[in-house]
Amino acid sequence: MSAPHARSTPGDALPDTRDLVGIGFGPANLALAIAIREHNGRQASGEALRASFVERQDDFGWHQGMLLEGATMQVSFLKDLVTMRDPGSPFSFLHYLQDRNRLADFINQKSFFPTRLEFHDYFRWCAASFTAEVDYATEAVEVRPAGPADAVDHLDVITRPASGTGPGRAVRTRNLVLGTGLRPHVPDGIGTGPHVWHNRDLLHRAPELTARPHRRFVVVGAGQSAAETADHLHRTFPDAEVCAVFTRYGYSPADDSPFANRIFDPTAVDEFFQAPEDVKQRLIDYHSNTNYAVVDGDLIEQLYRTVYQEKVAGTERLRILNTTALTAVEELPDGARAVVRSLTTGETHTLDCDAVVLATGYRPTEPAELLGDLAGECLTDGQGRLRVGRDHRVETTGRIRAGIYVQGAAAEHTHGITASLLSTLAVRSGEIRDSLLLRVAERQVRATPAATPAATPPARPAAVAAHH
């Protein structure tokens, strides 16, 4: 789908009004920036979409605290930022390999799954082409409607330096894309501190533990990140005990079979979007084991072998505390104290350790927190969730004509499991871009004065006409 792009619409509020401002510059909005760049490359300079992005981090980074050595991606390299939309794009993973002079070497691996470290380098390679469009170390703090109260065509995005010091500024835009990602989840009643942290900080915090008097770590969680964290600490600190605490009986394997993986296909988004609400929920329940609180089968077997071999050797450093819940955590001067309770026996144990690592997942960032008063203009369903169109645009009241788009888990209830995953980024970015282009065409139509009807000669009197 494509639409002609109009030149600047008469009556623009500001000469530097953007067609799009994206909040957050992770993989989702990076994919969108690429889709817009590729469109602009086919247009005259005056017909390009003007887009800019705001990113809190100092530079592009994607889960850098979990870029563990040897950890591989769980999606194919073909599900990069572009290939599913445009296999010939210069921003593909294969083009990246060619540029890095590793294409033949990668092919010889006979694998669809690069390491997470390499895929992160691919993301940074792509992001390096967009430094002019991204305000790094900048935080969006508010979004305000701009213009007449009865027809809001523009939004002002208020930003400030992420450091908290320095002047703020406003950027005016016709459309907003929220790509703020996920936030780490910490269990209720548990506070973080010098020796209690979320696993997203693993590679930043673990090396700081130079004094480790307890020679023990506690890892809470049963998903992929939890298993990887336990494995990493076990290998990195050979003198320490690692206690894996989770409420399940064991790590559950991820379902990555070919038929189940169809839920990550772009066409599955269409089918999910059109399905009745009860079917949507059943599909998420059926296939949550493709993504949520599950672990790669090879890693499960590796951890089990480790546990067994340590039992044989009589030195059990990797302890699996299954059907066990974390009930309390206390910071100690030289570490932390974790209190855990067996769900089957009710017995409580205290584990003094050098650190408690909370591999307890993520939660979506709530769009209303940033939208402020505008959130009241966004329509919701019977469960208070945003109503999101197939083009990823939030449905709003009639007075808000500026577009508000969401990328990420905030649209999972409308677009399915892939809303927060890499699998459909390439296609989704094209859908949002095309929606923006259609809105440009609509704006052009609204701005074009209606043609004045040609004058018609007066009708002749009926009596004269009768004589003919």
Side-chain angles (χ1 to χ4, degrees), residues 36 40 82 93 103 160 163 216 229 239 320 344 378 407:
I36 291 172
N40 290 349
V82 295
F93 183 73
L103 181 57
R160 68 183 180 195
S163 63
R216 176 187 287 151
T229 298
D239 62 340
I320 305 298
T344 55
C378 298
Q407 299 215 62

Side-chain angles (χ1 to χ4, degrees), residues 27-294:
N29 273 345
L30 173 56
L32 178 57
I34 292 171
I36 291 172
R37 170 76 61 84
E38 292 178 344
H39 162 78
N40 290 349
R42 298 187 292 267
Q43 311 301 318
S45 59
E47 298 174 339
L49 286 171
R50 297 192 64 215
S52 63
F53 300 86
V54 176
E55 171 54 49
R56 183 182 303 171
Q57 297 184 101
D58 294 339
D59 199 356
F60 184 91
W62 176 69
H63 296 302
Q64 289 176 282
M66 283 295 291
L67 297 178
L68 306 178
E69 181 180 358
T72 58
M73 297 293 295
Q74 294 176 283
V75 297
S76 166
F77 73 86
L78 294 172
K79 294 184 177 182
D80 58 18
L81 299 174
V82 295
T83 297
M84 295 286 283
R85 184 188 75 251
D86 178 10
S89 168
F91 289 95
S92 71
F93 183 73
L94 291 179
H95 275 88
Y96 155 79
L97 290 174
Q98 185 178 46
D99 184 70
R100 291 285 199 254
N101 198 30
R102 291 200 308 268
L103 181 57
D105 296 333
F106 182 85
I107 292 172
N108 288 337
Q109 287 190 124
K110 300 180 182 180
S111 173
F112 275 87
F113 306 102
T115 64
R116 197 175 298 154
L117 189 66
E118 184 175 31
F119 220 63
H120 179 263
D121 190 56
Y122 157 67
F123 286 153
R124 287 181 62 86
W125 177 80
C126 292
S129 297
F130 296 92
T131 54
E133 288 93 336
V134 185
D135 289 327
Y136 286 107
T138 303
E139 182 178 17
V141 295
E142 187 181 359
V143 179
R144 300 172 183 167
D150 59 340
V152 177
D153 289 309
H154 300 88
L155 303 172
D156 284 340
V157 180
I158 313 302
T159 67
R160 68 183 180 195
S163 63
T165 59
R169 62 187 291 257
V171 182
R172 183 154 295 182
T173 182
R174 301 182 183 93
N175 298 280
L176 178 74
V177 178
L178 300 176
T180 48
L182 301 170
R183 62 176 54 172
H185 170 67
V186 175
D188 292 341
I190 304 298
T192 57
H195 301 93
V196 182
W197 21 270
H198 194 272
N199 72 281
R200 72 162 183 175
D201 297 321
L202 177 63
L203 291 182
H204 306 311
R205 303 294 291 273
E208 297 175 352
L209 299 175
T210 53
R212 294 182 293 103
H214 303 287
R215 299 293 188 267
R216 176 187 287 151
F217 294 94
V218 172
V219 179
V220 183
Q224 179 73 21
S225 294
E228 289 179 351
T229 298
D231 177 61
H232 173 77
L233 293 172
H234 184 269
R235 289 185 289 106
T236 305
F237 300 98
D239 62 340
E241 175 183 278
V242 177
C243 298
V245 176
F246 47 83
T247 55
R248 299 182 176 213
Y249 203 85
Y251 293 116
S252 298
D255 184 356
D256 62 351
S257 58
F259 288 110
N261 273 347
R262 284 182 170 177
I263 200 169
F264 302 120
D265 291 351
T267 54
V269 178
D270 290 320
E271 295 163 355
F272 187 93
F273 186 83
Q274 296 166 5
E277 286 302 317
D278 63 321
V279 175
K280 284 186 170 77
Q281 188 57 54
R282 287 210 304 270
L283 287 172
I284 289 177
D285 293 341
Y286 288 155
H287 297 289
S288 62
N289 65 341
T290 59
N291 181 61
Y292 297 114
V294 288

Side-chain angles (χ1 to χ4, degrees), residues 333-404:
D334 58 356
R337 175 168 294 157
V339 180
V340 300
R341 180 176 59 85
S342 169
L343 300 181
T344 55
T345 67
E347 190 175 356
T348 297
H349 298 280
T350 298
L351 300 171
D352 287 355
C353 55
D354 299 306
V356 175
V357 185
L358 303 170
T360 46
Y362 295 81
R363 296 291 184 271
T365 302
E366 177 53 56
E369 295 177 10
L370 185 61
L371 294 176
D373 292 342
L374 270 174
E377 305 282 353
C378 298
L379 304 183
T380 58
D381 63 12
Q383 300 181 49
R385 303 171 302 186
L386 289 176
R387 286 167 51 179
V388 184
R390 179 61 187 85
D391 62 351
H392 311 279
R393 184 187 174 198
V394 176
E395 296 181 20
T396 60
T397 60
R399 85 180 194 98
I400 305 298
R401 300 198 303 199
I404 301 173

